Amino acid sequence: MNTQPLNLDFESSAIAGPEQLARVLSSYHTVTDEVDPSFMPKFSAWLRTMGFETRIILTGHNQHLACSIGPSSSPKLRVAFVGHYDTVPLGAGWSYAPLGGEEVSGRLYGRGVADMKSGVAAMVFAAHELASEGVYSTIFIPGDEETTSEGMPALLESESYVFDLCIGGEPTSKEVLGDCLKIGRRGRIVGSVTLHGKAGHAAYAEMTPNIVHRLPSVIEALGAPWNDTSGGTATTLSITNIASDNSASNVIPGNVTISFDTRSSPRRCLDDVESEIKARLAQTGVPHTLCIIRRTSPYLTDTKEADGGPNSTGRNAKLVACAVQTIKDLSGVTPQVTCDGGTSDARFIAVAGVPTIEFGVPHGNMHGPDEFVEVASISLLRDIYVGILRGMI
């Protein structure tokens, strides 16, 4: 096994391409809310040496970066790249140092190399290469995508932006780079429903109707099929937790709370999804209180239906077709075009009507031990970004 140790940092002049930048980024501890305090100053300073203008803003404990390069006056194309530098916690079970930037047999290991420091590295070098060709790029790199996603909207609100298109760099590929291109994301509603009963002594069950016994009807109602596959993906509701309000083994609980996570088709309005949840609960006849904790808007770069505005079908269809052809030409793989998976910060630009796609490296056991990326795919990803944008000029 050939192991290449990390010998680079932002101060080094040896960052000649996206592979080296990905290794440097992966060597820094950037778990959300626990970021190495030297990371942002060093990264921002290095970007400025590359010709980028940088801006850093704060939300709570998190720093968020936006950097721009290219002709801001009358560019041929205005592009938004969306990434993030924060990661989930390092976790246990690693065979390689999670912050070591180790390259072994053509793979780079480390927390965040797939999700999504390799994508950030590819974006930086793609934007740098295209700046001389008349493309003005702004790369958004928030530091809380894995948690609250407050950074991306804060960056957008800090200045006025106009974009012709947006590319998100989340790890969309599944097995090999190029096998999946996302043109949308599902909406999300996270909530809980508390079923109200009456607490009592378990020894006198005949005197206290047990609210727990009403759970099956509620779970069945919430979990029933939605019969909705519009936009290429189905609407689903998953029960994620069930908890009662007591810990004693001889007490019938007074309340039981069911937590759920709904992912809705990108063509479906979140208000409609919430209304259906309420209707399903009402049909059970079980006394309850519904609490909506979080709502995340969907988006879809619709290539079939015009929206009637400046970002109508023509531009959407051109972007998707250009991306599919470029991916096929450069990777040899024809991508599946989907809207599945989780949410991403690219939605904050997409919902404003900007044609948006998402494309990145394979998952590489992201969020688990030994997260990895094939080193060769990092430069290939950069080349695909460049090819897509050249095709859109």
Side-chain angles (χ1 to χ4, degrees), residues 206-262:
E206 69 281 2
M207 300 176 60
T208 308
N210 195 330
I211 192 63
V212 175
H213 296 171
R214 307 291 298 276
L215 272 172
S217 64
V218 176
I219 292 174
E220 182 179 5
L222 289 176
W226 288 70
N227 299 319
D228 178 3
T229 57
S230 63
T233 185
T235 298
T236 61
L237 185 150
S238 298
I239 304 297
T240 57
N241 194 25
I242 300 174
S244 71
D245 62 353
N246 80 275
S247 58
S249 62
N250 63 345
V251 174
I252 295 172
N255 296 295
V256 176
T257 298
I258 303 169
S259 300
F260 63 86
D261 187 326
T262 305

Side-chain angles (χ1 to χ4, degrees), residues 299-321:
Y299 80 86
L300 178 65
T301 299
D302 193 342
T303 61
K304 297 180 180 179
E305 297 180 8
D307 60 19
N311 299 312
S312 59
T313 295
R315 294 178 64 192
N316 293 342
K318 180 180 179 181
L319 174 59
V320 175

